Amino acid sequence: MSLIIPIAFCLLVFLYLGIYNTVIRRRNAIDQAWASIEAMLSKRYDLIPNLVATVMQYMSHERELLDSITQLRTQAQAANSKVPEGVMADDALTKSLSGLLVSVENYPDLKANASFVQLQKSWMEVEEQISAARRFYNAAVVQYNNSIQVFPNTLIASIHSMKPTETYEAEAIAHERLNAKELFS
Amino acid sequence: MNQEQTETFEVLFQQKLLPLLQDLENKRKSLVPPLRISIVFVILPFLFILFLPTPKTTTQIDTQSTISLILILVLFIAIIAILIIYFKYERKISRPFKKSIVPPLLALVNENLEYSPTGSISEAVYKKVNLHGKYSLYHGEDLISGEVSGVPFSLCEIHTQRSAGSNSDGKTKYKTIFEGFFLEAKFNKPFLTRTIVCARGTKPRELKNILSYLSSTLERIHLEDPDFENLFDVYGDNQTEARYILSPSTMERMKALQQRMGTRVEFSFLEEQLYVTLASRVNFLEPRFFKPITDDGYLKDYLYTLNLILEIIEDLKLNDQLGVNTSKPDYL
């Protein structure tokens, strides 16, 4: 009888530690996933100057659009893409880039340019990698949210002020981005 | 087979294959009766020995010993006869079949295919693909290689086995680990880590051994498609890259492929290659022994199977090249 209380106490401590560690691991997975998104976004930002420079030689009439892309790139790169402003800047940039790539249809010489074709491929690859990183992030968020919203985890989560995190829902443009390949077909 | 392929097959069969098959059929017919007799002489001694009454007197023991000796001798001769017939079948039917019948059949699917009856994708490749369980014997044959829609590929039949104890006579028993087709094709995206798509409820070989499990970098990857998760368990070195490879559209195609094949299909992505294994017990591209080989039905089945497997390349859109560099992605 005298052992029951210490054993129960030990079990509770182990349970607490187990749940706490699981939740922390899942929270860290979110950070890791976020780092992937940022790495991919940075790769895309690096690609834009080359894209603009190549396109500019053929699309002098679209100078305004090209300038706005360069400006949006600077804004998006400077902003923290985790906050709404950052997401908005990123979406605006993607929207402009999509507009640019639709305009390419009117420039057959540009479409045949070898370095542009190369850039197209790189751009599509980066877009797919961004999409994959977002899916990883959202999967990590769902796992984390589930782990702090079920009983008895919810008690430990409230003790440590752990709050559910929002999934990365880019605007509708994100879906257009997934279809980037169609823009080039 | 499509209509055009069926028509070409009919012409090829009547004009070129049938005369060759007729010759092989005559040889087959000459081998079947001796084989049947030999099989009977293997079974009968067994039955005799099994049903011999227990000897009670010394004379009976002597008689039964003599009978047993004769039966064992008969059994031995019958086994030797079966082996001789098998080697004759190999030399006179199987090899000529693979030399003269298979290449024109493959040319119907694609004229640029190369065929090696004894060749296979190397065991080293199978080992690193990390699918299925631990094995001790690897056998591959019927290597077909070439390009489909500009995608280089190799395909062969493989059979892996693992020793499972020994028989009462001391011979090692073997248990089949995997039997079927093994396809290797260039994947359309550059990637650096491993992603392994196992059948539901199974794991990569690396995670089945306690030592390699402890040092493994593979982790379970839960994807957002519940139907896909019902069919496959995904393991990979990198969560992001696994999702880059397994895009929603690729997952859809893999689900459709699994349903269309109706067999256990597994995938492994490594070193910019896609490896697919399809479980099958069909002895592919082999002439039949107990049935006439002049019948065109089984040849059509071989063509159908080959088309089905090679369609994987088009189904998964491996010709839709994406990406240009193979530099290390920033997230790795």
Side-chain angles (χ1 to χ4, degrees), chain A residues 32-33 35-36 39-40 42-43 46 118 121-122 124-125 128-129 131-133 135-136 139 143 181, chain B residues 189-190 222-224 239-241 243-244 246-248 251 320-325 327-331:
Chain A
Q32 189 197 347
S36 295
M40 288 300 109
S42 142
K43 204 171 170 183
D46 292 345
Q118 191 88 340
K121 284 187 176 178
S122 299
M124 283 194 287
E125 186 192 343
E128 288 224 10
Q129 285 172 341
S131 162
R135 284 167 59 211
F136 173 33
Q143 265 204 323
K181 203 171 282 177
Chain B
K189 292 177 183 176
H222 294 277
L223 296 165
E224 60 276 31
Q239 294 272 352
T240 306
E241 195 160 74
R243 286 174 174 86
Y244 169 61
L246 301 172
S247 65
M251 284 196 285
D320 204 352
Q321 198 64 33
L322 178 70
V324 286
N325 63 63
S327 62
K328 192 174 178 181
D330 302 349
Y331 51 76

mmCIF file of all heavy atoms in Angstrom, chain A residues 32-33 35-36 39-40 42-43 46 118 121-122 124-125 128-129 131-133 135-136 139 143 181, chain B residues 189-190 222-224 239-241 243-244 246-248 251 320-325 327-331:
data_model
loop_
_atom_site.group_PDB
_atom_site.id
_atom_site.type_symbol
_atom_site.label_atom_id
_atom_site.label_comp_id
_atom_site.label_asym_id
_atom_site.label_seq_id
_atom_site.Cartn_x
_atom_site.Cartn_y
_atom_site.Cartn_z
ATOM 1 N N GLN A 32 11.906 23.423 -38.137
ATOM 2 C CA GLN A 32 12.729 22.821 -39.195
ATOM 3 C C GLN A 32 12.027 22.975 -40.544
ATOM 4 O O GLN A 32 12.645 23.342 -41.549
ATOM 5 C CB GLN A 32 12.935 21.337 -38.874
ATOM 6 C CG GLN A 32 13.936 20.657 -39.772
ATOM 7 C CD GLN A 32 13.815 19.135 -39.706
ATOM 8 O OE1 GLN A 32 13.158 18.587 -38.822
ATOM 9 N NE2 GLN A 32 14.429 18.460 -40.647
ATOM 10 N N ALA A 33 10.712 22.738 -40.535
ATOM 11 C CA ALA A 33 9.939 22.858 -41.779
ATOM 12 C C ALA A 33 9.942 24.306 -42.256
ATOM 13 O O ALA A 33 10.042 24.579 -43.453
ATOM 14 C CB ALA A 33 8.520 22.369 -41.553
ATOM 15 N N ALA A 35 12.251 26.487 -41.727
ATOM 16 C CA ALA A 35 13.580 26.776 -42.284
ATOM 17 C C ALA A 35 13.664 26.302 -43.738
ATOM 18 O O ALA A 35 14.280 26.957 -44.574
ATOM 19 C CB ALA A 35 14.654 26.084 -41.438
ATOM 20 N N SER A 36 13.025 25.175 -44.034
ATOM 21 C CA SER A 36 13.002 24.671 -45.421
ATOM 22 C C SER A 36 12.302 25.655 -46.336
ATOM 23 O O SER A 36 12.779 25.946 -47.429
ATOM 24 C CB SER A 36 12.241 23.345 -45.504
ATOM 25 O OG SER A 36 12.907 22.380 -44.804
ATOM 26 N N ALA A 39 14.498 28.632 -46.929
ATOM 27 C CA ALA A 39 15.615 28.301 -47.832
ATOM 28 C C ALA A 39 15.139 28.275 -49.281
ATOM 29 O O ALA A 39 15.813 28.771 -50.181
ATOM 30 C CB ALA A 39 16.201 26.955 -47.440
ATOM 31 N N MET A 40 13.957 27.725 -49.479
ATOM 32 C CA MET A 40 13.417 27.619 -50.840
ATOM 33 C C MET A 40 13.021 28.995 -51.382
ATOM 34 O O MET A 40 13.243 29.300 -52.551
ATOM 35 C CB MET A 40 12.194 26.700 -50.855
ATOM 36 C CG MET A 40 12.514 25.249 -50.670
ATOM 37 S SD MET A 40 13.590 24.674 -51.969
ATOM 38 C CE MET A 40 15.065 24.444 -51.099
ATOM 39 N N SER A 42 14.343 31.781 -50.515
ATOM 40 C CA SER A 42 15.584 32.505 -50.801
ATOM 41 C C SER A 42 16.175 32.052 -52.139
ATOM 42 O O SER A 42 16.714 32.861 -52.905
ATOM 43 C CB SER A 42 16.514 32.281 -49.619
ATOM 44 O OG SER A 42 17.807 32.144 -50.025
ATOM 45 N N LYS A 43 16.026 30.759 -52.427
ATOM 46 C CA LYS A 43 16.503 30.239 -53.713
ATOM 47 C C LYS A 43 15.728 30.902 -54.860
ATOM 48 O O LYS A 43 16.285 31.232 -55.907
ATOM 49 C CB LYS A 43 16.279 28.726 -53.726
ATOM 50 C CG LYS A 43 17.168 27.965 -54.667
ATOM 51 C CD LYS A 43 17.008 26.486 -54.413
ATOM 52 C CE LYS A 43 17.674 25.664 -55.481
ATOM 53 N NZ LYS A 43 17.470 24.231 -55.293
ATOM 54 N N ASP A 46 16.868 34.427 -55.409
ATOM 55 C CA ASP A 46 18.158 34.459 -56.120
ATOM 56 C C ASP A 46 17.983 34.275 -57.628
ATOM 57 O O ASP A 46 18.808 34.701 -58.419
ATOM 58 C CB ASP A 46 19.086 33.346 -55.593
ATOM 59 C CG ASP A 46 19.519 33.601 -54.163
ATOM 60 O OD1 ASP A 46 19.334 34.748 -53.703
ATOM 61 O OD2 ASP A 46 20.001 32.659 -53.508
ATOM 62 N N GLN A 118 16.427 27.353 -69.612
ATOM 63 C CA GLN A 118 17.116 26.846 -68.419
ATOM 64 C C GLN A 118 16.513 27.464 -67.143
ATOM 65 O O GLN A 118 16.259 26.775 -66.165
ATOM 66 C CB GLN A 118 18.604 27.222 -68.543
ATOM 67 C CG GLN A 118 19.497 26.570 -67.538
ATOM 68 C CD GLN A 118 19.987 25.218 -68.047
ATOM 69 O OE1 GLN A 118 19.392 24.642 -68.945
ATOM 70 N NE2 GLN A 118 21.037 24.719 -67.458
ATOM 71 N N LYS A 121 13.136 26.032 -66.260
ATOM 72 C CA LYS A 121 13.240 24.741 -65.575
ATOM 73 C C LYS A 121 13.604 24.935 -64.104
ATOM 74 O O LYS A 121 13.026 24.308 -63.224
ATOM 75 C CB LYS A 121 14.280 23.859 -66.266
ATOM 76 C CG LYS A 121 13.789 23.252 -67.558
ATOM 77 C CD LYS A 121 14.804 22.271 -68.090
ATOM 78 C CE LYS A 121 14.293 21.566 -69.340
ATOM 79 N NZ LYS A 121 15.288 20.645 -69.884
ATOM 80 N N SER A 122 14.576 25.825 -63.884
ATOM 81 C CA SER A 122 14.985 26.084 -62.499
ATOM 82 C C SER A 122 13.822 26.655 -61.703
ATOM 83 O O SER A 122 13.600 26.290 -60.552
ATOM 84 C CB SER A 122 16.135 27.085 -62.456
ATOM 85 O OG SER A 122 17.226 26.565 -63.132
ATOM 86 N N MET A 124 10.597 26.271 -62.237
ATOM 87 C CA MET A 124 9.602 25.226 -61.959
ATOM 88 C C MET A 124 10.072 24.318 -60.825
ATOM 89 O O MET A 124 9.306 23.922 -59.972
ATOM 90 C CB MET A 124 9.352 24.386 -63.211
ATOM 91 C CG MET A 124 8.476 25.095 -64.221
ATOM 92 S SD MET A 124 7.860 23.978 -65.473
ATOM 93 C CE MET A 124 9.312 23.682 -66.434
ATOM 94 N N GLU A 125 11.368 24.021 -60.858
ATOM 95 C CA GLU A 125 11.929 23.139 -59.829
ATOM 96 C C GLU A 125 11.802 23.800 -58.449
ATOM 97 O O GLU A 125 11.365 23.170 -57.490
ATOM 98 C CB GLU A 125 13.393 22.855 -60.158
ATOM 99 C CG GLU A 125 14.025 21.839 -59.239
ATOM 100 C CD GLU A 125 15.538 21.766 -59.386
ATOM 101 O OE1 GLU A 125 16.056 22.251 -60.398
ATOM 102 O OE2 GLU A 125 16.171 21.238 -58.474
ATOM 103 N N GLU A 128 8.276 23.785 -57.178
ATOM 104 C CA GLU A 128 7.887 22.469 -56.633
ATOM 105 C C GLU A 128 8.515 22.239 -55.264
ATOM 106 O O GLU A 128 7.909 21.632 -54.392
ATOM 107 C CB GLU A 128 8.292 21.345 -57.598
ATOM 108 C CG GLU A 128 7.429 21.322 -58.833
ATOM 109 C CD GLU A 128 6.996 19.916 -59.227
ATOM 110 O OE1 GLU A 128 7.208 18.977 -58.450
ATOM 111 O OE2 GLU A 128 6.427 19.779 -60.329
ATOM 112 N N GLN A 129 9.746 22.733 -55.105
ATOM 113 C CA GLN A 129 10.417 22.563 -53.807
ATOM 114 C C GLN A 129 9.728 23.413 -52.734
ATOM 115 O O GLN A 129 9.582 22.974 -51.595
ATOM 116 C CB GLN A 129 11.902 22.922 -53.927
ATOM 117 C CG GLN A 129 12.689 21.827 -54.634
ATOM 118 C CD GLN A 129 14.119 22.210 -54.953
ATOM 119 O OE1 GLN A 129 14.463 23.387 -54.982
ATOM 120 N NE2 GLN A 129 14.943 21.222 -55.224
ATOM 121 N N SER A 131 6.599 24.231 -52.768
ATOM 122 C CA SER A 131 5.338 23.535 -52.492
ATOM 123 C C SER A 131 5.576 22.363 -51.537
ATOM 124 O O SER A 131 4.809 22.156 -50.587
ATOM 125 C CB SER A 131 4.752 23.057 -53.824
ATOM 126 O OG SER A 131 3.801 22.081 -53.605
ATOM 127 N N ALA A 132 6.663 21.611 -51.765
ATOM 128 C CA ALA A 132 6.979 20.463 -50.896
ATOM 129 C C ALA A 132 7.287 20.941 -49.479
ATOM 130 O O ALA A 132 6.827 20.346 -48.499
ATOM 131 C CB ALA A 132 8.164 19.699 -51.469
ATOM 132 N N ALA A 133 8.045 22.052 -49.383
ATOM 133 C CA ALA A 133 8.396 22.577 -48.062
ATOM 134 C C ALA A 133 7.145 23.041 -47.316
ATOM 135 O O ALA A 133 7.012 22.833 -46.109
ATOM 136 C CB ALA A 133 9.383 23.731 -48.219
ATOM 137 N N ARG A 135 4.143 21.811 -47.746
ATOM 138 C CA ARG A 135 3.399 20.609 -47.327
ATOM 139 C C ARG A 135 4.022 20.008 -46.071
ATOM 140 O O ARG A 135 3.316 19.560 -45.177
ATOM 141 C CB ARG A 135 3.398 19.577 -48.466
ATOM 142 C CG ARG A 135 2.428 19.938 -49.582
ATOM 143 C CD ARG A 135 2.680 19.104 -50.814
ATOM 144 N NE ARG A 135 2.550 17.686 -50.569
ATOM 145 C CZ ARG A 135 3.250 16.742 -51.225
ATOM 146 N NH1 ARG A 135 4.100 17.087 -52.155
ATOM 147 N NH2 ARG A 135 3.078 15.482 -50.947
ATOM 148 N N PHE A 136 5.336 20.021 -46.000
ATOM 149 C CA PHE A 136 6.021 19.509 -44.811
ATOM 150 C C PHE A 136 5.657 20.376 -43.606
ATOM 151 O O PHE A 136 5.340 19.865 -42.530
ATOM 152 C CB PHE A 136 7.538 19.497 -45.066
ATOM 153 C CG PHE A 136 8.387 19.148 -43.878
ATOM 154 C CD1 PHE A 136 7.944 18.248 -42.908
ATOM 155 C CD2 PHE A 136 9.656 19.707 -43.727
ATOM 156 C CE1 PHE A 136 8.744 17.920 -41.811
ATOM 157 C CE2 PHE A 136 10.450 19.383 -42.634
ATOM 158 C CZ PHE A 136 9.990 18.498 -41.674
ATOM 159 N N ALA A 139 2.129 19.682 -42.523
ATOM 160 C CA ALA A 139 2.030 18.366 -41.874
ATOM 161 C C ALA A 139 2.581 18.462 -40.453
ATOM 162 O O ALA A 139 1.988 17.906 -39.509
ATOM 163 C CB ALA A 139 2.812 17.335 -42.677
ATOM 164 N N GLN A 143 0.440 17.905 -36.945
ATOM 165 C CA GLN A 143 0.901 16.936 -35.924
ATOM 166 C C GLN A 143 1.067 17.615 -34.568
ATOM 167 O O GLN A 143 0.662 17.069 -33.545
ATOM 168 C CB GLN A 143 2.242 16.351 -36.363
ATOM 169 C CG GLN A 143 2.090 15.033 -37.113
ATOM 170 C CD GLN A 143 3.368 14.213 -37.026
ATOM 171 O OE1 GLN A 143 4.460 14.760 -37.056
ATOM 172 N NE2 GLN A 143 3.234 12.905 -36.926
ATOM 173 N N LYS A 181 3.825 24.913 -64.616
ATOM 174 C CA LYS A 181 4.229 24.210 -65.839
ATOM 175 C C LYS A 181 3.319 24.575 -67.016
ATOM 176 O O LYS A 181 3.753 24.699 -68.141
ATOM 177 C CB LYS A 181 4.156 22.710 -65.582
ATOM 178 C CG LYS A 181 5.019 21.924 -66.497
ATOM 179 C CD LYS A 181 5.070 20.499 -66.073
ATOM 180 C CE LYS A 181 5.980 20.312 -64.910
ATOM 181 N NZ LYS A 181 5.997 18.954 -64.427
ATOM 182 N N LYS B 189 13.159 14.323 -61.816
ATOM 183 C CA LYS B 189 13.526 15.458 -60.963
ATOM 184 C C LYS B 189 14.877 15.168 -60.321
ATOM 185 O O LYS B 189 15.140 14.033 -59.953
ATOM 186 C CB LYS B 189 12.503 15.624 -59.824
ATOM 187 C CG LYS B 189 11.135 16.065 -60.236
ATOM 188 C CD LYS B 189 10.247 16.100 -59.001
ATOM 189 C CE LYS B 189 8.828 16.469 -59.334
ATOM 190 N NZ LYS B 189 7.954 16.411 -58.151
ATOM 191 N N PRO B 190 15.690 16.208 -60.153
ATOM 192 C CA PRO B 190 16.954 15.967 -59.456
ATOM 193 C C PRO B 190 16.711 15.869 -57.942
ATOM 194 O O PRO B 190 15.920 16.634 -57.402
ATOM 195 C CB PRO B 190 17.782 17.204 -59.790
ATOM 196 C CG PRO B 190 16.793 18.255 -60.131
ATOM 197 C CD PRO B 190 15.536 17.602 -60.599
ATOM 198 N N HIS B 222 4.670 10.892 -43.167
ATOM 199 C CA HIS B 222 3.211 10.808 -43.266
ATOM 200 C C HIS B 222 2.740 11.837 -44.280
ATOM 201 O O HIS B 222 2.958 13.026 -44.087
ATOM 202 C CB HIS B 222 2.566 11.058 -41.904
ATOM 203 C CG HIS B 222 2.884 9.992 -40.909
ATOM 204 N ND1 HIS B 222 2.199 8.804 -40.845
ATOM 205 C CD2 HIS B 222 3.841 9.925 -39.956
ATOM 206 C CE1 HIS B 222 2.710 8.049 -39.893
ATOM 207 N NE2 HIS B 222 3.718 8.704 -39.339
ATOM 208 N N LEU B 223 2.116 11.358 -45.324
ATOM 209 C CA LEU B 223 1.649 12.283 -46.359
ATOM 210 C C LEU B 223 0.168 12.594 -46.162
ATOM 211 O O LEU B 223 -0.535 11.874 -45.455
ATOM 212 C CB LEU B 223 1.939 11.693 -47.738
ATOM 213 C CG LEU B 223 3.445 11.540 -48.001
ATOM 214 C CD1 LEU B 223 3.712 10.639 -49.180
ATOM 215 C CD2 LEU B 223 4.106 12.889 -48.209
ATOM 216 N N GLU B 224 -0.254 13.670 -46.828
ATOM 217 C CA GLU B 224 -1.588 14.195 -46.538
ATOM 218 C C GLU B 224 -2.712 13.460 -47.256
ATOM 219 O O GLU B 224 -3.879 13.710 -46.992
ATOM 220 C CB GLU B 224 -1.639 15.698 -46.857
ATOM 221 C CG GLU B 224 -1.348 16.087 -48.311
ATOM 222 C CD GLU B 224 0.141 16.219 -48.618
ATOM 223 O OE1 GLU B 224 0.939 15.497 -47.995
ATOM 224 O OE2 GLU B 224 0.491 17.008 -49.502
ATOM 225 N N GLN B 239 12.268 14.983 -45.081
ATOM 226 C CA GLN B 239 10.817 15.193 -45.176
ATOM 227 C C GLN B 239 10.453 16.076 -46.368
ATOM 228 O O GLN B 239 9.477 15.783 -47.078
ATOM 229 C CB GLN B 239 10.316 15.871 -43.891
ATOM 230 C CG GLN B 239 10.436 15.020 -42.643
ATOM 231 C CD GLN B 239 9.211 14.143 -42.415
ATOM 232 O OE1 GLN B 239 8.197 14.251 -43.100
ATOM 233 N NE2 GLN B 239 9.306 13.244 -41.456
ATOM 234 N N THR B 240 11.229 17.130 -46.594
ATOM 235 C CA THR B 240 10.881 18.056 -47.678
ATOM 236 C C THR B 240 11.135 17.409 -49.037
ATOM 237 O O THR B 240 10.285 17.481 -49.939
ATOM 238 C CB THR B 240 11.687 19.362 -47.550
ATOM 239 O OG1 THR B 240 11.483 19.882 -46.252
ATOM 240 C CG2 THR B 240 11.256 20.387 -48.571
ATOM 241 N N GLU B 241 12.294 16.763 -49.164
ATOM 242 C CA GLU B 241 12.614 16.190 -50.474
ATOM 243 C C GLU B 241 11.660 15.038 -50.821
ATOM 244 O O GLU B 241 11.316 14.851 -51.984
ATOM 245 C CB GLU B 241 14.065 15.726 -50.547
ATOM 246 C CG GLU B 241 14.469 15.479 -51.984
ATOM 247 C CD GLU B 241 15.961 15.491 -52.212
ATOM 248 O OE1 GLU B 241 16.635 14.528 -51.828
ATOM 249 O OE2 GLU B 241 16.459 16.472 -52.781
ATOM 250 N N ARG B 243 8.589 14.957 -50.138
ATOM 251 C CA ARG B 243 7.364 15.586 -50.650
ATOM 252 C C ARG B 243 7.602 16.220 -52.016
ATOM 253 O O ARG B 243 6.670 16.355 -52.812
ATOM 254 C CB ARG B 243 6.845 16.613 -49.647
ATOM 255 C CG ARG B 243 6.213 15.947 -48.438
ATOM 256 C CD ARG B 243 5.828 16.945 -47.361
ATOM 257 N NE ARG B 243 5.098 16.294 -46.291
ATOM 258 C CZ ARG B 243 5.669 15.677 -45.245
ATOM 259 N NH1 ARG B 243 6.991 15.649 -45.148
ATOM 260 N NH2 ARG B 243 4.929 15.102 -44.312
ATOM 261 N N TYR B 244 8.834 16.632 -52.259
ATOM 262 C CA TYR B 244 9.197 17.174 -53.581
ATOM 263 C C TYR B 244 9.082 16.048 -54.630
ATOM 264 O O TYR B 244 8.542 16.250 -55.718
ATOM 265 C CB TYR B 244 10.625 17.727 -53.506
ATOM 266 C CG TYR B 244 11.255 18.082 -54.825
ATOM 267 C CD1 TYR B 244 10.700 19.051 -55.653
ATOM 268 C CD2 TYR B 244 12.422 17.453 -55.238
ATOM 269 C CE1 TYR B 244 11.298 19.373 -56.859
ATOM 270 C CE2 TYR B 244 13.023 17.771 -56.431
ATOM 271 C CZ TYR B 244 12.460 18.732 -57.243
ATOM 272 O OH TYR B 244 13.043 19.044 -58.439
ATOM 273 N N LEU B 246 7.395 13.123 -54.146
ATOM 274 C CA LEU B 246 6.005 12.628 -54.148
ATOM 275 C C LEU B 246 5.040 13.809 -54.147
ATOM 276 O O LEU B 246 4.380 14.097 -53.149
ATOM 277 C CB LEU B 246 5.770 11.731 -52.931
ATOM 278 C CG LEU B 246 6.677 10.505 -52.851
ATOM 279 C CD1 LEU B 246 6.513 9.790 -51.523
ATOM 280 C CD2 LEU B 246 6.392 9.539 -53.991
ATOM 281 N N SER B 247 4.992 14.478 -55.276
ATOM 282 C CA SER B 247 4.061 15.600 -55.411
ATOM 283 C C SER B 247 2.643 15.035 -55.448
ATOM 284 O O SER B 247 2.462 13.834 -55.700
ATOM 285 C CB SER B 247 4.368 16.368 -56.694
ATOM 286 O OG SER B 247 4.105 15.533 -57.793
ATOM 287 N N PRO B 248 1.615 15.851 -55.202
ATOM 288 C CA PRO B 248 0.250 15.314 -55.232
ATOM 289 C C PRO B 248 -0.065 14.578 -56.533
ATOM 290 O O PRO B 248 -0.704 13.521 -56.511
ATOM 291 C CB PRO B 248 -0.615 16.569 -55.066
ATOM 292 C CG PRO B 248 0.253 17.517 -54.315
ATOM 293 C CD PRO B 248 1.642 17.272 -54.785
ATOM 294 N N MET B 251 1.629 11.171 -56.558
ATOM 295 C CA MET B 251 0.924 10.237 -55.663
ATOM 296 C C MET B 251 -0.336 9.686 -56.334
ATOM 297 O O MET B 251 -0.636 8.504 -56.220
ATOM 298 C CB MET B 251 0.564 10.933 -54.355
ATOM 299 C CG MET B 251 1.749 11.115 -53.429
ATOM 300 S SD MET B 251 1.252 11.514 -51.752
ATOM 301 C CE MET B 251 0.756 13.187 -51.923
ATOM 302 N N ASP B 320 8.797 13.753 -68.431
ATOM 303 C CA ASP B 320 8.507 15.162 -68.221
ATOM 304 C C ASP B 320 9.621 15.742 -67.361
ATOM 305 O O ASP B 320 9.477 15.913 -66.156
ATOM 306 C CB ASP B 320 7.155 15.256 -67.489
ATOM 307 C CG ASP B 320 6.499 16.569 -67.728
ATOM 308 O OD1 ASP B 320 7.144 17.436 -68.323
ATOM 309 O OD2 ASP B 320 5.336 16.728 -67.316
ATOM 310 N N GLN B 321 10.755 16.018 -67.995
ATOM 311 C CA GLN B 321 11.962 16.396 -67.252
ATOM 312 C C GLN B 321 11.778 17.711 -66.510
ATOM 313 O O GLN B 321 11.320 18.695 -67.066
ATOM 314 C CB GLN B 321 13.134 16.510 -68.224
ATOM 315 C CG GLN B 321 14.488 16.459 -67.576
ATOM 316 C CD GLN B 321 14.790 15.134 -66.885
ATOM 317 O OE1 GLN B 321 14.347 14.091 -67.325
ATOM 318 N NE2 GLN B 321 15.506 15.187 -65.794
ATOM 319 N N LEU B 322 12.135 17.695 -65.251
ATOM 320 C CA LEU B 322 12.044 18.913 -64.449
ATOM 321 C C LEU B 322 13.371 19.122 -63.734
ATOM 322 O O LEU B 322 13.984 18.180 -63.266
ATOM 323 C CB LEU B 322 10.927 18.782 -63.412
ATOM 324 C CG LEU B 322 10.734 19.959 -62.470
ATOM 325 C CD1 LEU B 322 10.169 21.157 -63.198
ATOM 326 C CD2 LEU B 322 9.813 19.586 -61.337
ATOM 327 N N GLY B 323 13.788 20.359 -63.674
ATOM 328 C CA GLY B 323 15.000 20.645 -62.917
ATOM 329 C C GLY B 323 16.245 20.478 -63.765
ATOM 330 O O GLY B 323 16.289 19.663 -64.673
ATOM 331 N N VAL B 324 17.231 21.263 -63.448
ATOM 332 C CA VAL B 324 18.433 21.232 -64.272
ATOM 333 C C VAL B 324 19.700 20.990 -63.479
ATOM 334 O O VAL B 324 20.697 20.557 -64.010
ATOM 335 C CB VAL B 324 18.592 22.553 -65.056
ATOM 336 C CG1 VAL B 324 17.613 22.612 -66.185
ATOM 337 C CG2 VAL B 324 18.445 23.753 -64.140
ATOM 338 N N ASN B 325 19.638 21.297 -62.191
ATOM 339 C CA ASN B 325 20.889 21.140 -61.456
ATOM 340 C C ASN B 325 20.770 20.015 -60.435
ATOM 341 O O ASN B 325 19.692 19.617 -60.050
ATOM 342 C CB ASN B 325 21.273 22.443 -60.763
ATOM 343 C CG ASN B 325 20.251 22.828 -59.728
ATOM 344 O OD1 ASN B 325 20.048 22.122 -58.768
ATOM 345 N ND2 ASN B 325 19.596 23.962 -59.951
ATOM 346 N N SER B 327 22.801 20.247 -57.715
ATOM 347 C CA SER B 327 23.533 20.771 -56.559
ATOM 348 C C SER B 327 22.727 20.493 -55.294
ATOM 349 O O SER B 327 21.523 20.266 -55.347
ATOM 350 C CB SER B 327 23.732 22.266 -56.710
ATOM 351 O OG SER B 327 22.486 22.896 -56.754
ATOM 352 N N LYS B 328 23.407 20.542 -54.178
ATOM 353 C CA LYS B 328 22.751 20.204 -52.913
ATOM 354 C C LYS B 328 21.690 21.250 -52.575
ATOM 355 O O LYS B 328 21.996 22.442 -52.467
ATOM 356 C CB LYS B 328 23.807 20.180 -51.820
ATOM 357 C CG LYS B 328 23.315 19.583 -50.542
ATOM 358 C CD LYS B 328 24.455 19.466 -49.567
ATOM 359 C CE LYS B 328 23.938 18.919 -48.264
ATOM 360 N NZ LYS B 328 24.980 18.809 -47.281
ATOM 361 N N PRO B 329 20.416 20.852 -52.411
ATOM 362 C CA PRO B 329 19.412 21.834 -52.055
ATOM 363 C C PRO B 329 19.716 22.460 -50.690
ATOM 364 O O PRO B 329 20.332 21.816 -49.837
ATOM 365 C CB PRO B 329 18.124 21.014 -51.994
ATOM 366 C CG PRO B 329 18.404 19.765 -52.721
ATOM 367 C CD PRO B 329 19.858 19.517 -52.560
ATOM 368 N N ASP B 330 19.223 23.696 -50.498
ATOM 369 C CA ASP B 330 19.561 24.434 -49.275
ATOM 370 C C ASP B 330 19.016 23.790 -48.008
ATOM 371 O O ASP B 330 19.527 23.999 -46.936
ATOM 372 C CB ASP B 330 19.011 25.872 -49.375
ATOM 373 C CG ASP B 330 19.584 26.560 -50.583
ATOM 374 O OD1 ASP B 330 20.529 26.015 -51.177
ATOM 375 O OD2 ASP B 330 19.082 27.640 -50.936
ATOM 376 N N TYR B 331 17.930 23.006 -48.148
ATOM 377 C CA TYR B 331 17.331 22.461 -46.932
ATOM 378 C C TYR B 331 18.033 21.205 -46.437
ATOM 379 O O TYR B 331 17.674 20.650 -45.422
ATOM 380 C CB TYR B 331 15.842 22.174 -47.143
ATOM 381 C CG TYR B 331 15.503 21.362 -48.362
ATOM 382 C CD1 TYR B 331 15.731 19.997 -48.392
ATOM 383 C CD2 TYR B 331 14.970 21.973 -49.477
ATOM 384 C CE1 TYR B 331 15.429 19.264 -49.510
ATOM 385 C CE2 TYR B 331 14.670 21.242 -50.605
ATOM 386 C CZ TYR B 331 14.893 19.890 -50.613
ATOM 387 O OH TYR B 331 14.588 19.153 -51.716
#
